[in-house]
Amino acid sequence: MKLIFEKSVSGRGCSILPPCDVESASLPYGLERQNPPALPEMSETDVSRHYSELCRQVHGVNCGFYPLGSCTMKYNPRIDEELAALPGFTDVHPLTPAEDAAGCMEVLALAKRYLCEISGMADMTFQPAAGAHGEFTGVLLIKQYHDARGDKARTKIIVPDSAHGTNPATAAMCGYQVVNIPSAPDGCVDLDALQKVLGPDTAGLMLTNPNTVGLFDRNILEITRMVHEAGGLCYYDGANLNAVMGIVRPGDMGFDCIHMNLHKTFATPHGGGGPGAGAVGCKEFLRAYLPQSSLMQEPGHLQVRAFCGNFLVVVKALAYLMMLGAEGVPQAAENAVLNANYLMQRIKGTFRPAFDRICMHEFVLDLSEFKKQTGVSALDVAKSLIDYGMHPPTMYFPLIVHEALMLEPTETEGKQTLDDAAEVFRSLYALAHSDPERMHKAPHNTPIGRPDEVRAARNPIVRYVPA
Ligand SMILES: *Cc1c(COP(=O)(O)O)cnc(C)c1O
């Protein structure tokens, strides 16, 4: 597809602005540009077609199956977008006094009440704009707690090797030393390995449960008890609450604070750079350290973002929760788990699950044996799925599984989609044995097939330089 600049024809254009009917003013000297900007010259029809074509090239959950593990790419009901677009929510100025924005304050209070109920926490802030930002905020609560007690010896945060990369990054950014512990063969926390690293220097543990291989850690009560006994606190990475919401509460598992990605589990689309909300909840004893959302900061009080964070994301979360209700929330979780297990069972005859036991909302395939036999890698399979109109699963994560593909179908897919996807996996398994070369070159139907990902990330070309 051509760039819009390449489609430009000198002299072409569309006049959509009416003639200026106010006196024109000139900019101060030095601020005016010397040359007119090199904008593309196109007709309105061509502009419209150009962007529609770009839009068609993007795969979203509204185009097809999107089983991107650990990302919860579920269908988000349009009604939530409509409610968040109401002028009473979109037009309110952040400096409006609370008494003049009573409706918005009620949204925040009600969303907080429901999400505290779901997570088993006492209080919550909506300031953080993402999951990683929420982790940062949550670990700062832990740090403030130890500092306030004069406990300066606690310099380490324990993170299992299956953790999402943001966990060790967060601990390091908060000034902690990261202690990695290996997982047990069943993919869960190795209690002996944990016991060995616990001590008077333990500030806390960061954990996801279900963990990143999609398994619920059966020893969770023992794990949090051990950390508390050593004087540390327990942080729950609740980025994906899809498997447990309304079923089991992180607070009851023994966690002291948590973040939840409203932009994964609670009706805001994830990806594309936001906006998101990493709601951070905590138990009563950490409440005093939460960021304050008012502008009148008490000196020394934590603030991680202006005002109340991405308010409209909270509106969507509340609309979603009110729509589902107390019965619908656990039902969604049950269906997410059912769908993941169904798909895993359907695929199991061909590709091998990394852990062959009942999974939660997602599961991981281990393609290392398959690669040895066929020479076809997890990357080749992921790329081949694109030709079938499916978004690839998460690849090469978690790091503890080699040649990993991680699938999270979510609760919003029907049986037909899952059956179709299983059929695609079956065909690719066969193709890998009959024509592996074709899979090394996939995808075959996209404008770009295999970009140099490192170069694309390190040296992105985002600016068109006219010839
Ligand atoms: C997505 C995710 C995060 C980070 O969330 P962002 O909003 O992308 O910063 C952290 N932990 C886990 C387990 C996740 O899946």
Side-chain angles (χ1 to χ4, degrees):
M1 186 179 161
K2 276 187 174 173
L3 295 176
I4 194 166
F5 293 98
E6 293 164 342
K7 291 181 183 167
S8 171
V9 175
S10 179
R12 200 168 277 174
C14 47
S15 320
I16 47 174
L17 295 180
C20 185
D21 60 357
V22 292
E23 207 178 310
S24 66
S26 46
L27 289 170
Y29 182 76
L31 289 183
E32 268 181 63
R33 58 161 73 242
Q34 300 306 305
N35 302 302
L39 295 175
E41 298 175 80
M42 292 175 88
S43 72
E44 188 173 340
T45 321
D46 290 337
V47 171
S48 164
R49 284 188 184 147
H50 177 79
Y51 285 108
S52 299
E53 176 58 25
L54 272 182
C55 186
R56 262 202 302 273
Q57 311 245 348
V58 175
H59 186 94
V61 77
N62 298 352
C63 314
F65 194 32
Y66 205 140
L68 189 67
S70 198
C71 287
T72 315
M73 305 303 279
K74 58 185 175 183
Y75 172 78
N76 296 293
R78 285 293 154 266
I79 182 80
D80 301 327
E81 294 290 339
E82 303 244 335
L83 290 172
L86 291 175
F89 294 137
T90 56
D91 294 356
V92 65
H93 192 280
L95 289 175
T96 308
E99 57 271 28
D100 292 338
C104 295
M105 300 312 285
E106 198 177 333
V107 164
L108 290 169
L110 210 51
K112 184 193 285 193
R113 205 176 100 204
Y114 291 160
L115 290 167
C116 279
E117 172 63 30
I118 286 172
S119 57
M121 294 292 143
D123 204 352
M124 189 164 287
T125 174
F126 292 121
Q127 263 192 16
H133 197 190
E135 288 173 33
F136 179 69
T137 308
V139 172
L140 284 183
L141 298 192
I142 293 178
K143 196 179 179 94
Q144 291 179 90
Y145 167 81
H146 291 310
D147 284 353
R149 292 156 46 95
D151 196 345
K152 301 278 182 210
R154 301 195 178 271
T155 53
K156 294 179 179 166
I157 293 267
I158 302 165
V159 179
D161 59 2
S162 62
H164 195 268
T166 48
N167 291 182
T170 292
M173 276 195 71
C174 293
Y176 284 112
Q177 203 179 321
V178 180
V179 181
N180 243 293
I181 52 167
S183 302
D186 67 354
C188 294
V189 171
D190 183 331
L191 294 184
D192 291 335
L194 175 62
Q195 191 62 59
K196 273 201 203 105
V197 295
L198 284 171
D201 57 358
T202 301
L205 165 80
M206 297 181 83
L207 203 65
T208 310
N209 194 30
N211 61 18
T212 57
V213 290
L215 301 177
F216 191 88
D217 202 314
R218 297 172 225 196
N219 297 320
I220 193 60
L221 291 175
E222 179 64 9
I223 292 166
T224 53
R225 191 196 58 77
M226 285 162 67
V227 175
H228 286 145
E229 207 169 85
L233 298 188
C234 297
Y235 183 87
Y236 184 89
D237 177 342
N240 318 83
L241 224 61
N242 241 36
V244 295
M245 58 177 179
I247 309 270
V248 59
R249 312 191 312 163
D252 298 337
M253 296 182 212
F255 288 93
D256 305 297
C257 65
I258 170 178
H259 84 268
M260 289 172 280
N261 282 16
L262 303 190
H263 52 286
K264 280 181 183 167
T265 311
F266 300 101
T268 285
H270 178 47
V280 169
C282 67
K283 292 265 175 78
E284 187 61 45
F285 73 99
L286 289 174
R287 180 178 239 159
Y289 309 116
L290 275 178
Q292 293 195 330
S293 43
S294 85
L295 263 195
M296 306 303 290
Q297 297 295 310
E298 287 168 34
H301 217 102
L302 186 64
Q303 190 185 16
V304 295
R305 202 174 186 278
F307 306 108
C308 305
N310 284 325
F311 171 65
L312 296 176
V313 176
V314 183
V315 175
K316 284 186 249 185
L318 179 63
Y320 180 70
L321 286 169
M322 292 180 86
M323 189 177 78
L324 288 181
E327 282 176 14
V329 169
Q331 238 170 40
E334 281 167 4
N335 284 332
V337 172
L338 178 64
N339 275 357
N341 278 286
Y342 180 75
L343 187 59
M344 181 170 79
Q345 290 304 323
R346 289 291 321 259
I347 291 179
K348 203 168 121 179
T350 49
F351 296 99
R352 195 172 73 80
F355 302 94
D356 195 3
R357 62 176 253 212
I358 291 188
C359 66
M360 298 301 284
H361 60 302
E362 60 193 355
F363 60 94
V364 180
L365 299 174
D366 177 345
L367 270 58
S368 46
E369 268 308 308
F370 166 82
K371 187 182 170 190
K372 263 189 222 140
Q373 287 165 13
T374 61
V376 172
S377 65
L379 177 73
D380 294 334
V381 173
K383 292 284 185 185
S384 300
L385 287 167
I386 297 172
D387 286 332
Y388 288 85
M390 238 174 93
H391 194 283
T394 297
M395 300 182 299
Y396 300 102
F397 177 80
L399 303 174
I400 56 172
V401 177
H402 299 294
E403 293 297 318
L405 285 183
M406 180 195 222
L407 288 93
E408 180 184 8
T410 82
E411 74 280 13
T412 57
E413 298 300 338
K415 183 170 176 295
Q416 189 65 53
T417 309
L418 303 180
D419 285 337
D420 291 349
E423 214 38 61
V424 170
F425 272 94
R426 194 176 301 275
S427 332
L428 290 180
Y429 187 82
L431 186 64
H433 290 84
S434 63
D435 187 3
E437 209 39 48
R438 184 164 171 79
M439 291 183 71
H440 295 320
K441 298 211 180 86
H444 300 274
N445 306 326
T446 53
I448 300 175
R450 304 231 176 180
D452 178 339
E453 288 173 15
V454 174
R455 204 156 67 100
R458 299 272 158 83
N459 302 310
I461 302 169
V462 291
R463 184 160 165 260
Y464 177 74
V465 184

